[in-house]
Amino acid sequence: EFLLPKNYINIELTSPIAYFDPHHANLTYMFSAVFMDELNEYLYDAELAGIDCSLYATFSGVILTVKGYSDKQGELLNKILDKLTRFNVDSDRFYRLKERFSRDLKNFECEQPHHQSTSYARHLLYEKFWHLHEMTGALPGLTVESLENFIPKFFGSIHVECLVYGNFTASLALSLYTNVVEKLKDDFNAKCLLPSQMTRMREVEL
């Protein structure tokens, strides 16, 4: 594993609406799920070449990761950003993934007790944590149209934070960050978050 030309790129996109309520939490999850499902077909050749990519939802937004051999990694990241900023929701893909998401939420009661207890503990200790029952109740509002309207709002006010390590120089890492920010500004007219919008969720310490 050592002395190999490998990089790890972690791009955290923070939006104040990502976890605003159960409906927006569902939208954030579906955005990452539908995008990754479409991207998987495109990433097959990259995976064969030793480069992996993922996009997943968090309490504060989404995280995009690209890792593996450094050759062509920057080029792949640019293409992923192009697809991300020009993403159109495919209705068939959306409803197939929504059905799976709905099934997973409703099957929560069938999970092992230790999985259920973890969720209930978060609900008690986190400053804001939408329980799966609350997210299930918001599913009727989860439509293709609502997701299409959500995406530009998500990127309209956003904070970008990058962690880059591996076969990188400081100047290349800074150039990568600048490229991501400029891409979001050009395609979504994205604005930086105010300091008051950057507060992290708190949790109770027992």
Side-chain angles (χ1 to χ4, degrees):
E1 296 184 23
F2 301 100
L3 302 178
L4 294 175
K6 288 187 175 183
N7 294 332
Y8 182 94
I9 302 170
N10 189 91
I11 304 171
E12 183 175 8
L13 305 174
T14 300
S15 171
I17 68 170
Y19 205 68
F20 180 74
D21 56 24
H23 175 58
H24 284 81
N26 287 344
L27 286 169
T28 303
Y29 172 81
M30 283 300 297
F31 168 52
S32 63
V34 176
F35 180 75
M36 275 306 302
D37 191 71
E38 179 176 314
L39 197 63
N40 281 336
E41 303 170 5
Y42 177 78
L43 290 175
Y44 178 73
D45 290 337
E47 290 175 357
L48 292 178
I51 304 176
D52 295 321
C53 171
S54 65
L55 180 79
Y56 57 93
T58 69
F59 292 140
S60 57
V62 296
I63 292 180
L64 172 66
T65 63
V66 181
K67 58 184 179 180
Y69 289 105
S70 57
D71 187 38
K72 303 293 184 181
Q73 198 178 73
E75 183 179 332
L76 175 64
L77 177 61
N78 287 333
K79 291 182 178 179
I80 292 172
L81 289 173
D82 284 337
K83 287 184 173 293
L84 186 67
T85 56
R86 292 171 171 79
F87 179 55
N88 293 313
V89 182
D90 178 86
S91 59
D92 291 337
R93 192 187 306 271
F94 173 87
Y95 285 111
R96 173 171 54 82
L97 291 173
K98 180 185 175 181
E99 175 61 29
R100 187 175 70 185
F101 179 46
S102 174
R103 188 167 58 248
D104 290 343
L105 290 176
K106 293 174 181 177
N107 286 341
F108 171 73
E109 300 296 344
C110 301
E111 293 284 347
Q112 293 292 328
H114 67 278
H115 287 155
Q116 294 187 39
S117 63
T118 299
S119 179
Y120 283 115
R122 289 175 176 172
H123 194 257
L124 291 171
L125 298 176
Y126 284 22
E127 184 179 36
K128 181 192 289 184
F129 181 80
W130 306 121
H131 195 273
L132 300 183
H133 298 311
E134 296 170 311
M135 296 177 70
T136 300
L139 283 176
L142 189 59
T143 63
V144 172
E145 293 75 16
S146 65
L147 183 57
E148 289 175 336
N149 292 331
F150 168 77
I151 294 173
K153 293 177 182 177
F154 177 90
F155 286 107
S157 296
I158 203 165
H159 174 73
V160 181
E161 191 168 328
C162 295
L163 170 66
V164 180
Y165 63 85
N167 190 38
F168 256 105
T169 62
S171 59
L172 283 175
L174 184 59
S175 174
L176 181 148
Y177 168 79
T178 303
N179 179 55
V180 172
V181 172
E182 292 303 318
K183 185 72 175 171
L184 295 176
K185 285 182 178 179
D186 292 343
D187 291 350
F188 288 110
N189 194 27
K191 302 293 190 300
C192 295
L193 294 185
L194 299 172
S196 60
Q197 295 175 293
M198 287 299 299
T199 55
R200 296 285 185 175
M201 284 196 299
R202 302 164 69 186
E203 60 183 279
V204 177
E205 182 179 356
L206 298 179

